[in-house]
Amino acid sequence: DGGITQSPKYLFRKEGQNVTLSCEQNLNHDAMYWYRQDPGQGLRLIYYSQIVNDFQKGDIAEGYSVSREKKESFPLTVTSAQKNPTAFYLCASSIPGLAGEQYFGPGTRLTVT
Amino acid sequence: GENVEQHPSTLSVQEGDSAVIKCTYSDSASNYFPWYKQELGKGPQLIIDIRSNVGEKKDQRIAVTLNKTAKHFSLHITETQPEDSAVYFCAAGLGSNYQLIWGAGTKLIIKP
């Protein structure tokens, strides 16, 4: 089955540690996205990538980093510089060229204490 | 900058009644308007979308209407059922841009 996988579903880290969230897709989509969602709020764009080896900052990129070495994978690193990292993180992908449907993964809930 | 406002933030309706959620966008160049449903602890899932060359689109119990002049679009759910309870998000996109601008979400509660 085609889709987007995110792992793990729950992640716990101590303050000051970097943590990397995984996102893999087998939809053959060129574009991928990372969003942050806080309780009761909408989606805020962290980073997006239109093609392999290229990515752009979104609205809230500070304290985060990404890489796009393979079409299928778009990992997100939450660094110790992110002041409030506890949140629900969503990865998505889409067919580029025309604004269209974004397919979402199941999300990773990160808790930093 | 670009903005999408979504109302209401919470909507409670009796099972079987209709529900309407409204969104207003700021960028008149927007030409793609999807609606997503998010169940608790899951990723959003597209339920219906509309492009700017169409005024209305229906899919069984759900429909979306678009008023380009007023720059607003609405989601209509008829004959609501308990499984319709979720958070609904609207978004607006440009044809040449990869990004979607998201509304803040509406929590829909279906009362039995």
Side-chain angles (χ1 to χ4, degrees):
Chain A
D1 290 335
I4 300 178
T5 57
Q6 292 184 245
S7 61
K9 188 164 181 63
Y10 299 96
L11 192 53
F12 298 88
R13 281 293 183 271
K14 294 292 187 183
E15 192 174 326
Q17 294 178 337
N18 291 354
V19 59
T20 298
L21 281 60
S22 168
C23 178
E24 303 279 333
Q25 55 99 358
N26 60 4
L27 300 167
N28 201 33
H29 288 168
D30 285 310
M32 297 186 74
Y33 312 79
W34 273 106
Y35 291 94
R36 171 183 173 135
Q37 187 175 33
D38 292 286
Q41 297 189 28
L43 281 68
R44 292 188 289 169
L45 183 65
I46 305 172
Y47 269 97
Y48 67 100
S49 169
Q50 299 174 8
I51 199 167
V52 173
N53 293 322
D54 182 65
F55 48 83
Q56 309 294 330
K57 292 182 178 180
D59 300 322
I60 55 166
E62 185 176 350
Y64 299 97
S65 66
V66 293
S67 63
R68 188 80 189 281
E69 297 177 1
K70 298 187 301 181
K71 186 176 185 177
E72 302 80 15
S73 179
F74 191 39
L76 172 74
T77 297
V78 184
T79 75
S80 56
Q82 168 50 233
K83 296 179 181 178
N84 187 18
T86 295
F88 189 49
Y89 291 89
L90 288 159
C91 179
S93 70
S94 72
I95 302 171
L98 181 69
E101 179 179 357
Q102 291 187 10
Y103 294 79
F104 283 84
T108 292
R109 186 167 299 280
L110 173 65
T111 302
V112 177
T113 57
Chain B
E2 300 167 18
N3 184 50
V4 173
E5 293 188 359
Q6 183 172 347
H7 298 281
S9 57
T10 303
L11 178 61
S12 183
V13 302
Q14 203 70 37
E15 182 179 349
D17 288 350
S18 296
V20 180
I21 303 170
K22 299 180 180 181
C23 287
T24 303
Y25 59 97
S26 60
D27 191 338
S28 57
S30 297
N31 59 9
Y32 175 67
F33 308 93
W35 284 92
Y36 283 80
K37 175 184 181 181
Q38 186 178 28
E39 297 178 344
L40 192 63
K42 297 183 178 180
Q45 183 176 14
L46 180 77
I47 56 172
I48 196 167
D49 58 7
I50 192 169
R51 297 193 184 270
S52 59
N53 58 346
V54 176
E56 183 177 4
K57 184 177 179 180
K58 290 183 180 180
D59 183 3
Q60 298 183 2
R61 295 188 297 109
I62 60 174
V64 56
T65 58
L66 172 64
N67 183 327
K68 290 186 292 183
T69 303
K71 291 190 289 186
H72 67 70
F73 56 110
S74 300
L75 176 71
H76 304 253
I77 304 175
T78 60
E79 300 174 5
T80 53
Q81 300 170 4
E83 54 265 34
D84 294 330
S85 293
V87 178
Y88 292 81
F89 291 97
C90 65
L94 295 173
S96 59
N97 191 307
Y98 296 91
Q99 297 187 47
L100 293 174
I101 308 301
W102 294 83
T106 296
K107 183 176 183 179
L108 177 62
I109 301 167
I110 307 301
K111 297 180 291 184

